Amino acid sequence: MTYLNTKQQAMIPIAAFTANGKLDHLSLAIINGLENGLSINEIKEIQIQLYTYVGFPRAINGISTLMAVVNERKSSNIHDEVGKEATPIAENIDILAIGTEVQTQLAGKVVEGPLFDFAPTLNQFLRAHLFGDIFIRDVLNHQDREIATIAALATIQGADAQLKAHYGIALNTGLTQIQLQEITQIITSKVNEDTGNYAKRILKQ
């Protein structure tokens, strides 16, 4: 039986509190993450990715909180691991083609339908930017990105369809049903009981 590792567990409240804007709680979650093996760049990468789901204001506030925590710890002579930078993307790469391949792999099928027929630019942006520019960055793997995304979406009212879709994507990355249940349990215990119950209800569906 495989459970989430310590770093993955620590990502969940970081993503959730970045998404819901509760910065005091986020500070504590960041400290816990740093003390449980997450690097500064891994936490930063979670917050960079989440701007595509919760917007620039929440992502910027999250990174500002991370910066403040890191600087305060430095002043206390605590030096956290910076971690690796993303591998540079080759200049001649077809980012739309790569993003489409990643999206198809994660979704388990070519993503199309009436919504994207109505607004094809939306799917182009998803492919080129979210699944291209962001998901190919190797600071986090796809499983970790989906853990963060699920935790963030669980805090957003009315995101039922998106949360359900990302549970499916998470399974396609190799995460198990038990690990998804563990995510909802951590949300319940570390973030908010109502948020956790919502995440559990959508998972059951």
Side-chain angles (χ1 to χ4, degrees):
M1 189 175 296
T2 303
Y3 293 99
L4 300 174
N5 63 43
T6 304
K7 289 172 62 174
Q8 290 172 326
Q9 292 174 31
M11 290 177 179
I12 294 166
I14 291 172
F17 290 129
T18 297
N20 69 17
K22 294 184 178 180
L23 302 183
D24 289 343
H25 295 287
L26 176 59
S27 293
L28 296 175
I30 288 170
I31 292 169
N32 178 69
L34 292 169
E35 293 181 349
N36 280 281
L38 285 173
S39 71
I40 295 169
N41 282 345
E42 286 172 328
I43 297 173
K44 195 187 301 181
E45 191 71 18
I46 290 169
Q47 296 170 325
I48 290 170
Q49 176 187 320
L50 289 187
Y51 99 83
T52 61
Y53 297 97
V54 302
F56 271 119
R58 292 287 166 87
I60 290 171
N61 288 345
I63 289 177
S64 295
T65 302
L66 171 61
M67 183 172 64
V69 168
V70 169
N71 288 339
E72 183 176 345
R73 285 165 67 84
K74 279 182 182 177
S75 69
S76 300
N77 205 32
I78 301 172
H79 299 282
D80 297 296
E81 179 188 354
V82 175
K84 73 175 185 178
E85 300 283 347
T87 302
I89 299 171
E91 290 183 5
N92 62 347
I93 193 171
D94 185 340
I95 201 70
L96 177 58
I98 293 294
T100 301
E101 181 181 339
V102 171
Q103 182 197 51
T104 302
Q105 174 190 349
L106 293 177
K109 61 182 179 180
V110 176
V111 177
E112 55 190 0
L115 175 65
F116 295 132
D117 291 339
F118 182 71
T121 305
L122 181 61
N123 204 18
Q124 181 180 346
F125 285 172
L126 284 172
R127 288 170 171 174
H129 184 50
L130 176 60
F131 293 109
D133 292 327
I134 295 175
F135 263 66
I136 65 172
R137 287 169 57 85
D138 55 3
V139 178
L140 298 174
N141 62 37
H142 290 168
Q143 287 190 0
D144 292 342
R145 290 186 183 280
E146 284 307 310
I147 290 168
T149 300
I150 288 168
L153 289 174
T155 72
I156 302 174
Q157 292 186 356
D160 298 30
Q162 291 77 21
L163 180 55
K164 189 180 297 184
H166 278 279
Y167 280 137
I169 291 172
L171 290 171
N172 289 338
T173 69
L175 290 168
T176 67
Q177 188 78 16
I178 290 173
Q179 289 172 319
L180 296 186
Q181 291 170 354
E182 188 179 1
I183 293 171
T184 68
Q185 291 164 356
I186 291 171
I187 293 172
T188 302
S189 62
K190 301 291 186 181
V191 180
N192 178 274
E193 185 174 356
D194 289 340
T195 302
N197 288 338
Y198 166 66
K200 290 175 183 177
R201 176 170 60 82
I202 299 300
L203 179 59
K204 286 180 181 178
Q205 293 176 10

